[in-house]
């Protein structure tokens, strides 16, 4: 952890070397995901509800998803760009160092400008807290934070999974973006809006619902079971197959040359 924090400090110092560029890029990242917010706002200002969900409830949902995605994209950016490391034989250099390969990839790239999306996500959450029909208690506020952490774990696992596949393909697979950037877009609404089939997919295949749908229902007082509030605690289990595939890829790795 101490070594990782040193890398974080180094990346932050590098980012702040050109402050004007940093803040302009940060603002650009804020505006990148603004279209999904505007689409949701225009839709709900016209029809009041979507499948029974009000603007405030959707803002809570969207804020959790966008904040989670932003944190994962910032601190796990090295895995998102891993295909370039493999193609350039940079992973050979990583394997020669006396440190854990996964830690080195994690520290390879940390982009603080990606936190521009986090600013928007936090803004959505603040607005949602203000207008959602929820009686806020310390427990509900804590649940909101746990949902964000759970979402960060799921998105981080997807980035690791994408990196692991690069051992076999040498190229990043664009279809993975359906599960990362795609979820950032369609995650602005609770998953049951898209039908029972999609909710089952988000529960048993890529478990978005563990941090997005089920705890949100508990937050809104609509949960069929009180245990739904605890489901974000299960999100680290998603890392098990992701890390397992990574380890298989490392064992099968052959240098791509330079």
């Amino acid at each position: 952890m101490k070594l990782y924090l040193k890398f974080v400090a180094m990346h932050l110092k590098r980012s702040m070397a050109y402050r004007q560029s940093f803040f302009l890029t940060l603002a650009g990242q804020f505006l990148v995901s603004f279209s999904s917010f505007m689409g949701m706002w225009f839709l709900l200002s016209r029809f009041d509800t979507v499948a029974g969900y009000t603007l405030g409830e959707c803002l809570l949902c969207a804020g959790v998803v966008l904040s989670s995605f932003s944190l994962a994209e910032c601190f796990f950016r090295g895995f998102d760009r891993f295909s370039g490391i493999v193609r350039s034989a940079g992973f050979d250099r990583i394997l020669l160092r006396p440190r854990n390969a996964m830690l080195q990839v994690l520290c390879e790239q940390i982009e603080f400008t990606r936190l521009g999306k986090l600013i928007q996500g936090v803004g959505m959450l603040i607005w949602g807290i203000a207008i959602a029909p929820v009686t806020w208690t310390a427990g509900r506020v804590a649940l909101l934070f746990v949902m964000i952490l759970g979402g960060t774990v799921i998105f981080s696992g997807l980035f690791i999974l994408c990196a692991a596949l690069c051992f076999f393909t040498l190229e990043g697979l664009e279809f993975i973006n359906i599960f990362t950037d795609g979820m950032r877009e369609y995650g602005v609404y609770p998953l049951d809006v898209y039908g029972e089939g999609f909710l089952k997919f988000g529960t048993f295949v890529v478990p978005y619902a563990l941090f997005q749908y089920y705890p949100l229902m508990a937050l809104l007082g609509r949960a069929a079971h009180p245990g739904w509030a605890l489901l974000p605690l299960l999100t680290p289990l998603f890392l098990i197959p992701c890390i397992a595939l990574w380890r298989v890829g490392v064992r099968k790795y052959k240098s791509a040359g330079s």
Side-chain angles (χ1 to χ4, degrees):
M1 178 58 71
K2 185 177 180 180
L3 178 62
Y4 176 69
L5 292 177
K6 285 185 177 181
F7 272 102
V8 170
M10 288 169 55
H11 282 290
L12 181 60
K13 185 176 180 180
R14 185 194 64 178
S15 298
M16 298 305 294
Y18 301 94
R19 295 191 179 186
Q20 187 175 7
S21 174
F22 172 80
F23 287 112
L24 285 173
T25 308
L26 191 74
Q29 288 296 321
F30 175 85
L31 295 173
V32 160
S33 55
F34 205 70
S35 59
S36 58
F37 162 71
M38 292 301 295
M40 176 184 65
W41 184 76
F42 282 126
L43 181 64
L44 286 165
S45 64
R46 175 67 178 84
F47 296 103
D48 296 328
T49 63
V50 172
Y53 296 104
T54 64
L55 175 62
E57 292 167 343
C58 290
L59 282 169
L60 292 176
C61 183
V64 166
V65 171
L66 187 58
S67 298
S68 301
F69 180 82
S70 173
L71 289 170
E73 192 179 33
C74 171
F75 294 102
F76 282 75
R77 187 65 172 168
F79 291 99
D80 195 29
R81 292 188 169 183
F82 187 67
S83 60
I85 297 175
V86 171
R87 287 197 309 271
S88 64
F91 194 65
D92 296 32
R93 183 176 65 252
I94 288 175
L95 290 175
L96 291 173
R97 294 170 181 164
R99 291 290 179 180
N100 181 274
M102 181 170 281
L103 175 64
Q104 292 185 63
V105 175
L106 179 66
C107 298
E108 186 77 17
Q109 188 73 34
I110 300 174
E111 292 190 10
F112 290 97
T113 55
R114 301 286 169 170
L115 296 179
K117 298 186 184 76
L118 178 63
I119 297 172
Q120 186 181 147
V122 171
M124 289 181 179
L125 287 173
I126 293 173
W127 190 6
I129 289 171
I131 67 174
V134 177
T135 301
W136 291 100
T137 62
R140 283 194 168 101
V141 173
L143 176 57
L144 202 60
F145 279 104
V146 173
M147 290 166 66
I148 294 172
L149 291 176
T152 304
V153 169
I154 296 297
F155 283 119
S156 301
L158 287 169
F159 287 135
I160 294 172
L161 182 63
C162 181
L165 292 174
C166 292
F167 286 119
F168 308 97
T169 64
L170 299 183
E171 292 284 347
L173 300 177
E174 291 299 323
F175 82 90
I176 293 292
N177 291 334
I178 298 173
F179 305 108
T180 52
D181 295 274
M183 181 56 184
R184 185 194 69 195
E185 295 295 325
Y186 55 71
V188 298
Y189 304 108
L191 294 184
D192 64 333
V193 168
Y194 304 103
E196 184 179 353
F198 193 84
L199 179 58
K200 288 181 178 179
F201 177 85
T203 302
F204 301 108
V205 182
V206 182
Y208 304 119
L210 297 186
F211 78 90
Q212 196 249 31
Y213 175 73
Y214 296 114
L216 180 67
M217 294 301 102
L219 194 68
L220 300 177
R222 302 182 187 181
H225 191 280
W228 283 10
L230 301 176
L231 289 179
L233 300 178
L234 298 180
T235 53
L237 295 177
F238 180 65
L239 294 177
I240 295 175
C242 298
I243 293 175
L245 183 61
W246 167 271
R247 290 179 175 176
V248 170
V250 171
R251 288 197 296 268
K252 298 291 184 180
Y253 173 73
K254 294 181 180 179
S255 178
S258 62

